[in-house]
Amino acid sequence: MPESIMSRIDRLSKEREELLQRESHHSASPVDTRRLERIDHDLRVLWDLRRRELAGEDVDVSEDYLDDYDRYGGRESSGR
């Protein structure tokens, strides 16, 4: 069964909190910082998809979520 938008949001939010905790203790690595940036981007995309879903739009998470287009800053390469 595919992961729902809300379960992805929940999973990424928990990971984000763990990374922020590491940063607050000054033990985050550069890899952690890059991962946090990626999570922040992914959460923006997922919340946008969730709003579209709530508005009644037919959202295909597997296609829309993996799109390389970042509507907040242009094109970027996929980190997945």
Side-chain angles (χ1 to χ4, degrees):
M1 170 182 262
E3 188 177 19
S4 73
I5 292 172
M6 284 307 299
S7 63
R8 285 185 190 202
I9 288 171
D10 185 52
R11 181 175 48 81
L12 288 173
S13 294
K14 287 177 184 174
E15 183 180 354
R16 182 178 186 276
E17 289 303 314
E18 291 170 10
L19 291 170
L20 289 173
Q21 186 72 15
R22 276 190 234 162
E23 278 192 343
S24 73
H25 291 104
H26 306 288
S27 61
S29 70
V31 171
D32 291 336
T33 303
R34 285 191 301 277
R35 178 65 184 146
L36 186 57
E37 290 170 359
R38 186 73 217 177
I39 288 171
D40 286 343
H41 167 265
D42 289 352
L43 285 171
R44 285 192 307 269
V45 171
L46 285 166
W47 278 113
D48 184 55
L49 291 176
R50 180 65 178 146
R51 283 188 288 276
R52 289 169 45 195
E53 184 179 62
L54 289 171
E57 187 175 330
D58 185 28
V59 177
D60 184 349
V61 179
S62 62
E63 287 182 24
D64 293 333
Y65 181 71
L66 296 176
D67 189 357
D68 285 33
Y69 186 72
D70 172 10
R71 70 180 281 220
Y72 302 97
R75 287 236 172 243
E76 64 180 41
S77 61
S78 178
R80 294 176 195 78

